[in-house]
Amino acid sequence: MSLDEMRKQKSQTDWERLRAAPDHEGEAEIEVDWASARLVEPEPKKLISLRIDADIVEFFRSQGKGYQTRMNAVLRAYKDAQEKVG
């Protein structure tokens, strides 16, 4: 099923049950010591100029918003796989 087809699917979420449910179900909430927390900022992306075949760009764009992030994820998966091999 394509992303477009999935977006057209009718929601099966029982919104009335969720609205009636309390904010938290299950075990007690976990206490967090925020004094020891540290801010971790992601490294900024590197802006480059890259020549990519038109059909490849159109394929990713046709999947909707965030296509550049998905292209990056595909390249990262390839990189990670190659690092495991060699």
Side-chain angles (χ1 to χ4, degrees), residues 1 3 10 12 28 35 38 51 53 59 64 68-69 73 75:
M1 181 178 291
L3 182 59
K10 184 177 184 281
Q12 296 179 5
R38 64 185 177 90
R51 294 181 187 275
D53 293 335
F59 171 79
Q68 290 177 335
T69 300
L75 291 169

Side-chain angles (χ1 to χ4, degrees), residues 62-74:
S62 73
Q63 302 299 302
K65 197 172 179 182
Y67 75 94
Q68 290 177 335
T69 300
R70 281 190 299 283
M71 291 173 80
N72 189 72
V74 169

Side-chain angles (χ1 to χ4, degrees), residues 9-23:
Q9 291 288 315
K10 184 177 184 281
S11 172
Q12 296 179 5
T13 303
D14 185 350
W15 293 107
E16 292 304 317
R17 183 182 66 79
L18 289 174
R19 285 186 193 98
D23 286 340

Side-chain angles (χ1 to χ4, degrees), residues 25-39:
E25 294 179 4
E27 297 181 24
E29 293 186 30
I30 300 170
E31 291 293 322
V32 177
D33 179 10
W34 290 106
S36 63
R38 64 185 177 90
L39 178 63

